[in-house]
Amino acid sequence: MMFSVGLDHYLILSAILFCIGLVGVITQRNVIKLIMCLEIMLNAVNITLIAFSQYITPTLLTGQIFAIFVMVVAAAEVAVGIAIVFSIYRSRESVDMENFNILKW
Amino acid sequence: MPTIVPWLIFLLPFASFLLIGLILRPFLNKWPRVAGYVTIGAVGLACALAFWVLFAVMGAPEHKLMVDDIQWAIIGNLNIHIGVLVDALTAVMVVVVTFVSLMVQIYSQGYMKGDPGYQRYYAFMSLFTACMLGLVLANNILFMFVFWEGVGLGSYLLIGFWFHKPSAANAAKKAFIVTRAGDFGFLAAILLLYASTGTFDTQTLYNLVATGALAGTTLTWVAIGIFAGAAGKSAQFPLHVWLPDAMEGPTPVSSLIHAATMVAAGVFLVARFYPLFQHSAEAMTTVAVIGAFTAIFAASMGLVMNDIKRVLAYSTISQLGYMMLGLGVGSVAIGIFHLFTHAFFKCLLFLGSGSVNHGTGTFDMRLMGGLRKAMPWTYATFVIGSLSLAGIWPLAGFWSKDQILVAAFANNPVLFTLAIVTVFMTAFYMFRAVFMTFHGEYKGGAVPEHGSHDEHSHGPHESPAVMVAPMVVLTVMAVCAGWFNVTGGFSQLLGSEAEGTNLVASFLGVFMHPLPLASLIVALLGIFLAYAMYLKKWISPEKIGNALKPIYTLLYRKYFMDELYENVFVKTILYNGIFKAMAMFDSSIVDGTVNGVANTTAGAGGVLRKIQNGQTQLYVISIAIGAIAIAICVYLFH
């Protein structure tokens, strides 16, 4: 039996990646690692978008275009996020999430 | 006559008010006299137009002119027009109001000279006159109410003109609040009228009453409500307490209030809605009884007052009682005719008292005396005014009072007795005032109260010509005003049948009837008693005062009415009862609700804010759990 790759496989892959990313975001204490996990979550979503685009609306490129947009936004977000991390690091000399708790009542 | 004329009668004084208030006072403060000239010009022109209207009405069929309405507002089915009603009653009233107002404005030029509020005074006087004219001209009970309140506002501003004096400020408030008690009745009557007829128009109301569509209990309550408003403005018992205190205003203001505006408004209101009263016997009886009682009640207090203006104030209340009595037992013509004659002689008497004040610096008659020589013009005019008020033939007061007495005699012996006793009292207190003020020895006067009268250290002196001239004009009217009705011409104009035909025959023939003779004799007796007590001192007033101490105290303290209102009504019922309950309700229920809501929100916020601890990852967990929960819900319940 020929093993063929279908939509389900992509979605399962995407879900696994998303969960890995989510767990990382929740558990990592290092901000840089946290941002990397965030990127994994975004890419999991990208996979979903492209898979749907390929299997459900093959004539339209909406999902693929959307994935490119997500990448662009992610790049911008990383740039800003790293800049914030740098500036916090300068004042607190730490990249530990536990110290990033000043935005509260 | 162009239809604009009746409108102009109202608009001219109103324009004068706006001109003084908006332009002259702020920008031309260097020439305060201009304000006086503007007012006199406006009121004088209005007076000329008023005479034009009067002659036009006299020539018109049924003594009524048609003037088209202007549509003002449509609110749902409520269609409000503004318009003027020009009939004989209106015509007579506008003539009286503008003429008396004109005299008072001219007089004020002398009396108010140098007062720092000179322009403000004339602005308020214009407003006051305009509102009264608006009330008289309006053909619609709603607009009558608007101007009615405008008259109340004008009186408030003018009585409290010297507001830096606490007594004047309090008197202004008292006048406003006491009349408000009556206005409540008037407003209730308007609402009841609208609820039962759906119209505000005076003429339509007349028609509805004539056809019997408006009758029975509703009509009685409407009439009683209107009379309550009239009693407040016309200072009828038990709402008379504001009028004597209103003497705190400048004297020309008192003169205007007492003669033509404000207090006349109440009598006018009853006369305007007279068809409504005529169809309700209860309302007529109420008017007559309250009127007769007020007449004697106020006259009795006038007997013992020492302030010349207060004597005149109680006299006014008493005479207003006569007018109400005349309306209650007689007809519009009788009541309004007394208003007509009273306006001239009472205005004259007040101007005379102002002139006396100008000369001596006091209103206390015990500090006057002997002014006859120093102030001959004031003396002569004041005496003629007093004779007219006392009802001495052939002066104006005799003719109008005589009609009321005749009508009362035909109606009810008790009312007649009250009225004839009042004639005696009136003659007595007026000549008590004359003898105390103008005869005997000068007792020194007083230090002038308002700064402009520095020259008074030289003793009493005659007032300037600008003050004397209006008094002389009014004296002529106080003598002649009664003659308009000697042959019944005035009554005929106002819708009653004419009796006499020949002027001279009626003039002398009035004594063919025993009543006029009786009233004349009673009045002369009153004058004689005053003569005996205060000029010749055959009878000592002090001895009588001591012998009748309880009665004297009762009268001098005004039957303790002020104390009654102050202690029982205001302090106990209102202040300790209703107001306290309202304050409790306000602080506990209303404030409690608002504060309770705020406290609950604040408490909930205090608890919830703990969640916001700044740990970003905790937020992420919350979002993840939430997303999973939503997914599970969608899966389970889809």
Side-chain angles (χ1 to χ4, degrees):
Chain A
M1 193 181 103
M2 183 73 193
F3 184 80
S4 68
V5 179
L7 179 61
D8 292 352
H9 300 99
Y10 285 102
L11 291 182
I12 289 163
L13 172 66
S14 165
I16 290 167
L17 276 176
F18 190 86
C19 288
I20 290 169
L22 182 62
V23 169
V25 167
I26 290 168
T27 55
Q28 290 305 312
R29 307 183 82 179
N30 190 316
V31 184
I32 303 297
K33 285 184 190 166
L34 190 142
I35 290 174
M36 288 161 71
C37 293
L38 206 63
E39 290 303 309
I40 294 172
M41 288 171 76
L42 286 168
N43 282 315
V45 173
N46 277 351
I47 290 169
T48 320
L49 286 169
I50 292 169
F52 277 132
S53 172
Q54 184 66 36
Y55 284 94
I56 296 180
T57 58
T59 54
L60 293 172
L61 294 176
T62 317
Q64 308 201 8
I65 298 292
F66 214 91
I68 290 172
F69 270 99
V70 169
M71 280 186 231
V72 172
V73 171
E77 172 244 304
V78 167
V80 174
I82 296 289
I84 291 171
V85 169
F86 263 88
S87 108
I88 292 174
Y89 180 72
R90 277 192 198 125
S91 69
R92 302 217 146 191
E93 305 219 323
S94 160
V95 287
D96 194 325
M97 275 304 284
E98 280 191 356
N99 292 328
F100 292 9
N101 63 353
I102 49 173
L103 274 177
K104 63 176 179 185
W105 49 270
Chain B
M1 187 190 71
T3 49
I4 189 76
V5 170
W7 284 99
L8 276 179
I9 292 174
F10 160 68
L11 289 174
L12 278 169
F14 194 72
S16 152
F17 162 66
L18 293 180
L19 184 66
I20 296 171
L22 299 178
I23 296 172
L24 293 184
R25 175 72 185 84
F27 301 116
L28 294 171
N29 220 349
K30 269 188 210 160
W31 303 286
R33 308 290 290 176
V34 177
Y37 300 135
V38 167
T39 308
I40 291 171
V43 176
L45 209 52
C47 185
L49 294 175
F51 275 105
W52 189 5
V53 168
L54 179 65
F55 289 122
V57 165
M58 282 162 76
E62 293 183 13
H63 300 309
K64 193 168 275 185
L65 296 176
M66 300 313 290
V67 181
D68 289 335
D69 286 3
I70 297 171
Q71 192 157 334
W72 185 61
I74 301 175
I75 306 163
N77 294 326
L78 180 62
N79 197 337
I80 303 175
H81 291 276
I82 52 175
V84 293
L85 177 64
V86 186
D87 61 3
L89 179 61
T90 306
V92 170
M93 286 299 293
V94 289
V95 167
V96 171
V97 173
T98 52
F99 183 79
V100 169
S101 178
L102 179 63
M103 291 300 132
V104 171
Q105 313 296 359
I106 294 171
Y107 177 91
S108 303
Q109 289 253 303
Y111 191 83
M112 298 301 289
K113 191 176 174 190
D115 193 283
Y118 190 83
Q119 291 159 307
R120 184 163 58 89
Y121 174 81
Y122 272 105
F124 290 167
M125 280 298 235
S126 301
L127 176 69
F128 196 29
T129 308
C131 286
M132 184 65 194
L133 291 168
L135 170 67
V136 169
L137 285 162
N139 70 344
N140 176 317
I141 193 165
L142 197 64
F143 275 86
M144 290 183 78
F145 187 73
V146 170
F147 290 117
W148 180 264
E149 295 299 333
V151 171
L153 170 69
S155 69
Y156 170 79
L157 293 171
L158 285 167
I159 293 167
F161 182 73
W162 288 317
F163 51 79
H164 48 79
K165 281 199 296 185
S167 57
N170 287 336
K173 277 186 283 185
K174 188 171 177 182
F176 200 69
I177 293 166
V178 173
T179 52
R180 184 54 21 96
D183 293 351
F184 173 74
F186 186 25
L187 188 60
I190 293 174
L191 296 176
L192 184 59
L193 260 185
Y194 186 73
S196 54
T197 65
T199 180
F200 290 127
D201 186 67
T202 316
Q203 192 61 52
T204 318
L205 289 174
Y206 289 171
N207 296 340
L208 285 173
V209 171
T211 56
L214 180 64
T217 322
T218 316
L219 181 63
T220 303
W221 282 113
V222 165
I224 298 280
I226 291 174
F227 180 66
K233 276 274 190 292
S234 287
Q236 296 297 291
F237 177 85
L239 298 176
H240 64 279
V241 288
W242 66 270
L243 194 70
D245 287 17
M247 295 298 106
E248 290 297 335
T251 307
V253 171
S254 310
S255 179
L256 191 58
I257 286 179
H258 284 247
T261 55
M262 188 77 182
V263 296
V267 177
F268 166 78
L269 191 73
V270 175
R272 169 57 82 215
F273 293 102
Y274 202 67
L276 275 64
F277 284 87
Q278 271 180 317
H279 286 79
S280 167
E282 294 89 346
M284 287 293 266
T285 313
T286 311
V287 174
V289 169
I290 296 273
F293 180 72
T294 306
I296 192 163
F297 180 73
S300 67
M301 289 187 276
L303 296 175
V304 297
M305 293 296 146
N306 287 318
D307 182 319
I308 188 168
K309 276 179 87 179
R310 285 193 183 253
V311 172
L312 294 174
Y314 283 110
S315 162
T316 303
I317 300 177
S318 169
Q319 297 301 310
L320 289 163
Y322 264 121
M323 293 172 207
M324 289 296 184
L325 175 63
L327 290 167
V329 298
S331 66
V332 176
I334 293 173
I336 292 297
F337 186 52
H338 195 53
L339 191 157
F340 178 73
T341 58
H342 174 260
F344 299 116
F345 56 71
K346 186 50 65 64
C347 183
L348 167 64
L349 288 171
F350 267 106
L351 297 187
S353 77
S355 177
V356 166
N357 169 251
H358 196 80
T360 64
T362 181
F363 286 113
D364 192 333
M365 294 192 291
R366 289 169 297 189
L367 301 175
M368 300 174 186
L371 299 179
R372 181 168 45 128
K373 295 186 190 73
M375 310 176 76
W377 283 100
T378 307
Y379 172 64
T381 52
F382 199 89
V383 167
I384 293 172
S386 302
L387 287 169
S388 191
L389 173 58
I392 302 300
W393 185 86
L395 303 178
F398 170 78
W399 300 101
S400 55
K401 199 173 282 183
D402 173 48
Q403 284 192 326
I404 294 171
L405 290 170
V406 170
F409 188 73
N411 190 284
N412 187 321
V414 177
L415 295 179
F416 173 75
T417 314
L418 292 178
I420 197 93
V421 172
T422 310
V423 169
F424 179 77
M425 288 181 175
T426 309
F428 176 77
Y429 67 63
M430 274 327 295
F431 277 85
R432 174 176 173 268
V434 169
F435 294 139
M436 282 178 84
T437 309
F438 293 101
H439 290 263
E441 294 299 314
Y442 183 55
K443 298 183 191 67
V447 184
E449 270 185 64
H450 49 122
S452 62
H453 295 168
D454 293 331
E455 68 270 29
H456 290 159
S457 47
H458 309 303
H461 59 91
E462 185 57 277
S463 300
V466 72
M467 287 164 73
V468 172
M471 285 156 61
V472 172
V473 174
L474 285 165
T475 307
V476 174
M477 287 309 289
V479 173
C480 307
W483 300 346
F484 292 113
N485 207 23
V486 171
T487 58
F490 191 92
S491 302
Q492 204 177 14
L493 183 66
L494 284 167
S496 298
E497 296 107 47
E499 303 135 10
T501 44
N502 183 301
L503 181 70
V504 180
S506 310
F507 212 82
L508 300 169
V510 68
F511 293 116
M512 301 299 284
H513 196 287
L515 270 181
L517 200 59
S519 82
L520 185 61
I521 290 168
V522 167
L524 287 172
L525 280 176
I527 295 173
F528 180 74
L529 183 63
Y531 176 78
M533 282 173 72
Y534 291 94
L535 190 59
K536 292 294 172 189
K537 313 244 185 231
W538 292 330
I539 312 165
S540 164
E542 286 79 18
K543 274 188 188 157
I544 296 185
N546 287 330
L548 301 172
K549 194 80 186 167
I551 297 177
Y552 180 81
T553 312
L554 186 68
L555 294 179
Y556 195 71
R557 301 293 297 275
K558 309 160 204 165
Y559 293 95
F560 297 97
M561 286 291 280
D562 280 337
E563 284 82 358
L564 179 74
Y565 281 126
E566 176 76 19
N567 292 330
V568 176
F569 198 69
V570 174
K571 282 203 178 132
T572 311
I573 298 179
L574 285 181
Y575 190 77
N576 282 330
I578 299 171
F579 292 170
K580 266 209 175 141
M582 284 180 171
M584 293 262 283
F585 180 80
D586 194 52
S587 60
S588 57
I589 311 250
V590 177
D591 287 4
T593 311
V594 174
N595 290 340
V597 169
N599 285 338
T600 310
T601 315
V607 173
L608 288 174
R609 73 178 185 174
K610 305 284 185 203
I611 295 169
Q612 182 122 5
N613 61 1
Q615 290 296 337
T616 322
Q617 286 169 313
L618 197 69
Y619 305 163
V620 176
I621 293 171
S622 311
I623 294 169
I625 291 170
I628 291 165
I630 291 170
I632 291 170
C633 285
V634 169
Y635 182 73
L636 287 179
F637 303 112
H638 185 59

